[in-house]
Amino acid sequence: MSETTPTAELLFSPADATPISTDESTVKPWSQARQCLETAPKAWLSTVRPDGRPHAMPVLLAWLDGSVWISTRPASRKGRNLAGNPHCVITVADPTLDLVVEGTVRRATDEATMRRVAAALKAKYDWDFIVRDGSAYEDDLPGSPEYGFFEISPTRAFGYGPDGLTATRWRFP
């Protein structure tokens, strides 16, 4: 997937009567949000259970080709949730930005992409996966558990400054 640059705008307008800044100069660039995603040691993934209740868990993530990638076991609660409803939210923070990204996921099925995601996770976390038969496996663990790799395509994102007074919304085409 080629990376697209979203439209950045203030989250609130002067008419909203909010303590959040309405100064256009405080709009954060997407490059700052992307850097936060690239370097985050972990993120929180929120999914939707079949009965509509939310589910949130920490995940490790990798940035590859303009997208966030996560791994999870297909039989895990989050894996089953994503299989049933691809809508999710991922949140990360660094000293300059609290970031909320709404999006949809798709599971990688081609082994070339899976090998690239496995290499990105290896480079960032020294986490070893073996790709075979359309899935990824962690052969270092008993039973060689199966993992799926999921690409998160953002639809909307929100960034909040550490001062609590600045907010940016990014809308994706």
Side-chain angles (χ1 to χ4, degrees), residues 61-155:
L61 69 157
W63 183 264
L64 182 65
D65 297 336
S67 294
V68 172
W69 288 85
I70 61 163
S71 67
T72 190
R73 295 179 186 186
S76 70
R77 169 47 51 204
K78 59 187 171 291
R80 293 189 321 262
N81 290 350
L82 292 171
N85 182 340
H87 300 284
C88 67
V89 174
I90 194 160
T91 58
V92 297
D94 71 15
T96 66
L97 190 67
D98 293 325
L99 184 62
V100 177
V101 179
E102 297 177 357
T104 56
V105 300
R106 74 165 185 89
R107 183 174 175 179
T109 55
D110 68 282
E111 291 195 5
T113 298
M114 294 175 68
R115 282 190 184 85
R116 293 178 59 241
V117 175
L121 291 166
K122 170 74 172 168
K124 186 170 181 180
Y125 298 106
D126 198 27
W127 193 4
D128 285 314
F129 289 100
I130 303 299
V131 175
R132 64 176 178 268
D133 304 323
S135 287
Y137 297 88
E138 192 172 5
D139 285 347
D140 292 341
L141 292 180
S144 188
E146 176 188 2
Y147 286 80
F149 295 145
F150 295 85
E151 177 184 25
I152 299 174
S153 297
T155 55

Side-chain angles (χ1 to χ4, degrees), residues 18-85:
T18 178
I20 300 289
S21 174
T22 57
D23 179 354
E24 293 272 342
S25 70
T26 65
V27 170
K28 310 268 189 250
W30 178 247
S31 59
Q32 184 178 356
R34 188 182 66 233
Q35 178 71 22
C36 186
L37 289 165
E38 289 174 0
T39 60
K42 69 177 176 184
W44 287 90
L45 176 71
S46 298
T47 60
V48 181
R49 296 173 191 263
D51 64 6
R53 291 180 300 133
H55 179 262
M57 283 288 155
V59 292
L60 302 180
L61 69 157
W63 183 264
L64 182 65
D65 297 336
S67 294
V68 172
W69 288 85
I70 61 163
S71 67
T72 190
R73 295 179 186 186
S76 70
R77 169 47 51 204
K78 59 187 171 291
R80 293 189 321 262
N81 290 350
L82 292 171
N85 182 340

